[in-house]
Amino acid sequence: MGKPVLMDFFAEWCGPCHQQTPIIDELKAKMGDRVDIQKIDVGVDSEQTRQYAARYDIQFVPTLVIEKDGQLVRKLVGVQDLGTLENILKPLVEQ
């Protein structure tokens, strides 16, 4: 079993994204390398960004996508607090 992946879809111009960033940073500090955290700037037009946005139907930022072993676990739209993210991720790292 692989470790869970948290994808943080954000844009530099997005105010709520700037509120989410320190929460993601704190999550990384607490969970370390047990979770793979990826930041994806949807404000940058690239083929990879378009593919991710289409695959996960990203319409608003911030959006957090959590996967484990290539399977979607949760998609969260809007700013999420640390407790919510820990409650979702802790059981996934303990599997």
Side-chain angles (χ1 to χ4, degrees), residues 7 55-56 64-76:
M7 289 171 268
R55 177 177 178 188
Y56 299 106
L64 303 177
V65 172
I66 299 171
E67 284 190 343
K68 172 113 184 204
D69 300 321
Q71 299 296 315
L72 179 66
V73 175
R74 290 286 294 273
K75 178 178 170 183
L76 305 156

Side-chain angles (χ1 to χ4, degrees), residues 39-51:
K39 295 190 66 71
I40 301 159
D41 187 350
V42 297
V44 174
D45 188 28
S46 73
E47 183 63 30
Q48 183 178 27
T49 301
R50 285 191 297 274
Q51 287 175 352

Side-chain angles (χ1 to χ4, degrees), residues 15-27:
C17 297
H18 290 283
Q19 295 172 341
Q20 187 71 72
T21 297
I23 296 167
I24 298 293
D25 292 345
E26 188 174 350
L27 180 72

